[in-house]
Amino acid sequence: IVPRVLRPQSRRFAEDMLVYVATTLVGFLAVVLFVIFGNDKKRKYKLEDETENVPLNEEPWVPSIEVEDWKEANAAFSMCPWNFEGCESIEDVLNCIWKKPVPKDLHVGFAALLQSVRHINVALVKCGAWKQTHFCIIYTLLSGAELFGGAPSEQSVGLELEEEVVGLRRRGQATAMKLSEHEENPLPCIAAFFRIHDGFGTLMSRKHLPLLLETPGDTVHGSCFYVYPMRGLEQVHSRPSLLKVARVDRSCFVAVDRRKADPGVVYVERSTQCTEDDESPLSFIADTVSNIAGHRVVPAPYEGGPSMYHD
């Protein structure tokens, strides 16, 4: 029997097919190995990079808070709105913050703080992706409870401020910016308080402060504004002429009619029932400050909170 010999063309075709099959198998194995080992390695490097290069506390959306003793505040914060130079006691600091002589309608609140405040700190809070800056005073009471007040507003409408105001840091030759109508204080009747504090409330934890400053109408585990800041003066839906000014308790807030030159306060229930009172808004604010400063422990909002209206 004579063995069959392949023609040259057939032999070349068989060799090419063998090379093709071998190359395909090698490529397939390479892909499989990359999928198995390459992704894990890539994922590991990615997690390491995220952990090492971008710490969570440096993310732009994470708020930050710095708190300094009033004695160190001016050195620590270059733009601190209070100038405590010459202050030697808590009473001196309170006189500086409240710009003595205090308006007559606010005497009650100021007197309560004089009797109740044990220590004072200044807080610098930066919120949001754009790191909006807010300064606050933190009042520590004799009981250990804490209250907070916003920085004085430079937008107080209806007040003739002197060129140099005692207690406020002068800001070079800069002048106040002209504000649009929707940014101005729509309630000149409470401008005297905004000149001292743009908002006032209770603080169960200092960690709550950034959240309250971002959303003044919220409550955070008992921390809340009891006198809303200027940016928190919201319209009452059932009566648009009323602006929400202060909180009484979880079911009632106080509003003021912006149409009136000399308005009283209006108590607005959750049911939207409104009750008008002759008490001036400034007197109500002073009573609110006195009330929350006089409590040994300020109840949380979900427990009712301090109430000056409900029995």
Side-chain angles (χ1 to χ4, degrees):
I1 301 175
V2 179
R4 185 179 179 182
V5 180
L6 293 174
R7 295 178 180 180
Q9 292 181 349
S10 299
R11 186 183 299 112
R12 186 178 302 108
F13 176 77
E15 292 174 352
D16 291 345
M17 286 299 296
L18 182 62
V19 171
Y20 174 77
V21 172
T23 304
T24 302
L25 287 174
V26 171
F28 178 75
L29 288 175
V31 171
V32 171
L33 292 174
F34 175 78
V35 171
I36 294 175
F37 299 105
N39 281 353
D40 288 342
K41 188 174 182 181
K42 183 178 180 181
R43 189 181 300 111
K44 179 180 178 182
Y45 287 153
K46 184 177 180 180
L47 290 174
E48 288 178 351
D49 290 344
E50 289 179 351
T51 302
E52 295 176 3
N53 299 334
V54 188
L56 180 62
N57 61 350
E58 293 183 7
E59 290 285 353
W61 49 268
V62 176
S64 64
I65 178 171
E66 299 178 52
V67 179
E68 294 288 346
D69 183 280
W70 67 267
K71 297 177 182 177
E72 308 296 333
N74 291 135
F77 306 133
S78 60
M79 293 299 293
C80 178
W82 299 277
N83 183 2
F84 299 121
E85 184 178 355
C87 294
E88 298 180 355
S89 65
I90 293 298
E91 183 176 353
D92 291 339
V93 176
L94 283 168
N95 287 334
C96 171
I97 296 170
W98 283 69
K99 305 173 184 63
K100 195 173 181 179
V102 177
K104 182 179 179 180
D105 285 346
L106 295 174
H107 279 181
V108 172
F110 178 66
L113 292 178
L114 280 175
Q115 297 175 4
S116 304
V117 173
R118 181 184 70 193
H119 194 71
I120 293 175
N121 288 288
V122 177
L124 169 61
V125 180
K126 296 180 180 180
C127 306
W130 297 102
K131 292 296 184 182
Q132 294 179 332
T133 299
H134 302 272
F135 281 97
C136 288
I137 290 291
I138 298 178
Y139 297 101
T140 302
L141 306 183
L142 295 172
S143 63
E146 290 189 329
L147 311 178
F148 71 96
S153 173
E154 295 182 348
Q155 306 164 9
S156 297
V157 177
L159 287 179
E160 295 182 0
L161 304 182
E162 297 178 355
E163 183 178 355
E164 296 184 28
V165 179
V166 176
L168 281 179
R169 174 178 292 276
R170 298 188 65 185
R171 307 192 180 200
Q173 301 301 319
T175 56
M177 294 177 62
K178 186 176 181 180
L179 304 170
S180 61
E181 290 182 3
H182 70 279
E183 291 176 319
E184 294 178 349
N185 178 12
L187 294 175
C189 61
I190 57 176
F193 183 74
F194 285 145
R195 181 177 167 232
I196 299 168
H197 281 307
D198 187 13
F200 198 88
T202 60
L203 202 57
M204 297 300 172
S205 170
R206 295 180 180 182
K207 294 180 181 180
H208 300 162
L209 201 49
L211 298 175
L212 296 178
L213 294 172
E214 280 197 285
T215 53
D218 287 352
T219 61
V220 185
H221 300 296
S223 300
C224 65
F225 276 100
Y226 272 93
V227 179
Y228 297 113
M230 194 180 301
R231 63 188 180 281
L233 301 180
E234 301 176 351
Q235 287 184 339
V236 178
H237 295 300
S238 58
R239 291 177 59 179
S241 63
L242 297 181
L243 289 182
K244 185 178 178 180
V245 170
R247 168 191 165 87
V248 176
D249 56 34
R250 61 181 178 179
S251 61
C252 180
F253 61 86
V254 161
V256 173
D257 194 331
R258 58 180 172 178
R259 299 173 304 178
K260 298 180 179 180
D262 188 20
V265 296
V266 180
Y267 294 91
V268 183
E269 307 284 347
R270 181 179 293 178
S271 62
T272 69
Q273 178 184 352
C274 298
T275 305
E276 297 189 12
D277 193 285
D278 292 334
E279 184 179 15
S280 73
L282 273 186
S283 293
F284 177 86
I285 289 173
D287 288 342
T288 297
V289 173
S290 176
N291 191 18
I292 60 179
H295 281 67
R296 290 183 58 82
V297 179
V298 182
Y302 49 80
E303 295 176 347
S307 173
M308 294 160 289
Y309 179 63
H310 293 287
D311 294 332

